[in-house]
Amino acid sequence: MTGRAAKVPSRMLGMVGPRAEKNVNLALQGGGAHGAFTWGVLDYLLEDGRLAIEAITGASAGAMNAVVLVEGWLEGGRDGAREQLRKFWKRVSLDGSLSPVQRSLFDHFLNYWSGAHASTSLWGGAFSNLTSPYDLNPLDINPLRDALNEMINFERVRACRDTKLFVSATNVWTGKIHVFTAPELTVDHVLASACLPTIFKAVEIDGEPYWDGGYTGNPALFPLFYETEADDILLVQINPVERQVTPRTAEEIRSRLTEITFNANLLYELRAIDFVRRLIDEGKLSTDEYKRVLMHRIHGGSELDVYAASSRLDARWEFFKKLKDLGRASARTWLSKNYQALGRESTLDLSNA
């Protein structure tokens, strides 16, 4: 966690508005349809207007929310960002304009997160050991490509200097995380971040294949240590860490394995933050060389966790709006309780991470 960025408290950073008072970095998890919860969180934070967003890191659905937010911001500020997020989630809903083939694949993308891999479904076979997307989806049809190409001006996003963007993907050859930044982003980088290997072919970038960034960083926090000035990281978490129940059915087991896998690297980074912060507080490390990160988290709690299985394949617009409303309510509650702590102390207890 070296490479301490210089503090510049006298100026605001990133996406700002007339009410912006405090700088934060956002970390957005991926998690299928539950990314609509993050949409709600972002919608409320933008409406509230008191936070200046210096940087955003995201994986999978979190990366899509991040890029869509930035595109909307560049078009019309906070209101533009809110509207672009709404349009995106409407676009990929059952009530949107996806073709039947695209809809089938998008449903299956969400189905991955539910663990409900029905063997009677044609696409359900993609989750067995006998088939692969290279067999069942040889044309590599990806419904998200069209949606992103239609809604995102990537040339403008690459030129954005209002906020920093970090999109993570997993290099298939090395097994390591690769974090792409705004100046290099194309639709392929975002699709790579959301490339579930049982559904889509690996996305090739500069001759190397990439899979979903959630396998190695959901989301990656370390870019926010080295390349930003704000000490505060606000994590929007949509995958539960703990479940006080033992999964027994095949669907429950797959679902829990997915949650554990996609939380593993995040927990590792949270433990690292806690370790470095304790050494700083004990005087063993200097803040001239190490960043004392202040961690915060917005999550849906039991109200979101109850949807962990079958609902993650629910692409109905009404369901997306329900998750959005939950995200807005969660953000409102968190901000009301913790706003004064920003810039001063962490509100997320990392001792048990």
Side-chain angles (χ1 to χ4, degrees):
M1 211 175 297
T2 58
R4 182 70 168 91
K7 293 260 192 177
V8 188
S10 61
R11 66 182 179 89
M12 299 303 294
L13 307 165
M15 297 180 178
V16 300
R19 298 183 63 203
E21 300 171 358
K22 298 191 177 184
N23 304 322
V24 299
N25 297 313
L26 298 181
L28 310 181
Q29 269 203 327
H34 288 189
F37 171 85
T38 302
W39 163 32
V41 171
L42 297 175
D43 186 74
Y44 184 80
L45 295 180
L46 289 164
E47 179 186 274
D48 179 86
R50 285 180 290 169
L51 302 183
I53 303 171
E54 181 185 357
I56 310 173
T57 181
S60 198
M64 293 186 188
N65 273 319
V67 172
V68 171
L69 185 155
V70 169
E71 163 70 18
W73 173 269
L74 293 171
E75 178 69 24
R78 291 178 182 266
D79 290 340
R82 296 178 64 199
E83 176 61 13
Q84 193 74 340
L85 284 164
R86 185 198 68 80
K87 287 180 178 178
F88 174 77
W89 284 96
K90 178 67 173 180
R91 174 71 170 76
V92 298
S93 73
L94 279 171
D95 304 277
S97 55
L98 297 181
S99 71
V101 173
Q102 290 175 327
R103 171 50 49 204
S104 174
L105 281 166
F106 188 67
D107 282 346
H108 205 58
F109 171 79
L110 301 179
N111 197 33
Y112 175 88
W113 291 96
S114 75
H117 317 318
S119 60
T120 57
S121 165
L122 170 64
W123 295 105
F127 289 91
S128 73
N129 293 325
L130 303 177
T131 55
S132 85
Y134 292 84
D135 300 319
L136 292 181
N137 187 13
L139 299 179
D140 202 26
I141 299 171
N142 191 329
L144 298 172
R145 180 180 293 277
D146 290 342
L148 290 169
N149 274 329
E150 289 174 15
M151 299 191 65
I152 306 299
N153 181 335
F154 280 94
E155 183 176 355
R156 181 163 58 183
V157 170
R158 287 193 293 274
C160 174
R161 298 296 178 267
D162 288 345
T163 197
K164 295 179 180 179
L165 266 178
F166 305 100
V167 171
S168 59
T170 302
N171 187 301
V172 179
W173 290 348
T174 66
K176 297 179 181 179
I177 190 171
H178 189 110
V179 177
F180 300 101
T181 59
E184 58 189 324
L185 287 184
T186 67
V187 67
D188 285 336
H189 295 86
V190 181
L191 292 176
S193 183
C195 179
L196 296 173
T198 50
I199 302 172
F200 305 117
K201 295 180 181 180
V203 178
E204 288 201 5
I205 299 174
D206 295 330
E208 297 191 14
Y210 290 89
W211 284 340
D212 197 298
Y215 292 113
T216 48
N218 192 24
L221 301 183
F222 66 86
L224 305 178
F225 306 156
Y226 304 113
E227 301 188 43
T228 68
E229 298 175 12
D231 291 332
D232 295 87
I233 298 177
L234 177 53
L235 169 67
V236 182
Q237 189 166 6
I238 56 180
N239 296 316
V241 174
E242 291 190 14
R243 286 193 183 277
Q244 300 298 319
V245 62
T246 302
R248 299 186 183 278
T249 68
E251 176 182 333
E252 291 169 345
I253 292 169
R254 291 187 188 105
S255 180
R256 187 59 183 143
L257 279 173
T258 298
E259 291 173 344
I260 292 172
T261 300
F262 276 70
N263 276 328
N265 281 282
L266 172 64
L267 293 177
Y268 172 82
E269 289 200 272
L270 292 178
R271 286 192 292 269
I273 289 172
D274 183 55
F275 179 67
V276 170
R277 194 171 63 200
R278 283 189 284 112
L279 291 179
I280 290 174
D281 291 346
E282 293 169 4
K284 297 177 181 178
L285 293 178
S286 169
T287 54
D288 292 334
E289 298 180 356
Y290 292 86
K291 191 170 188 175
R292 190 178 186 278
V293 175
L294 305 178
M295 279 302 307
H296 314 275
R297 179 181 64 182
I298 296 176
H299 63 106
S302 60
E303 292 183 77
L304 182 61
D305 293 350
V306 73
Y307 294 118
S310 61
S311 71
R312 295 195 182 191
L313 63 95
D314 190 343
R316 293 173 301 150
W317 176 238
E318 288 303 315
F319 182 64
F320 284 172
K321 289 198 296 182
K322 182 182 294 187
L323 290 180
K324 177 207 175 186
D325 290 343
L326 177 58
R328 281 183 55 85
S330 299
R332 182 186 300 109
T333 299
W334 184 90
L335 204 57
S336 174
K337 180 180 178 181
N338 298 294
Y339 178 77
Q340 295 303 323
L342 290 169
R344 299 179 181 177
E345 59 184 354
S346 292
T347 59
L348 176 61
D349 181 6
L350 300 180
S351 60
N352 294 316

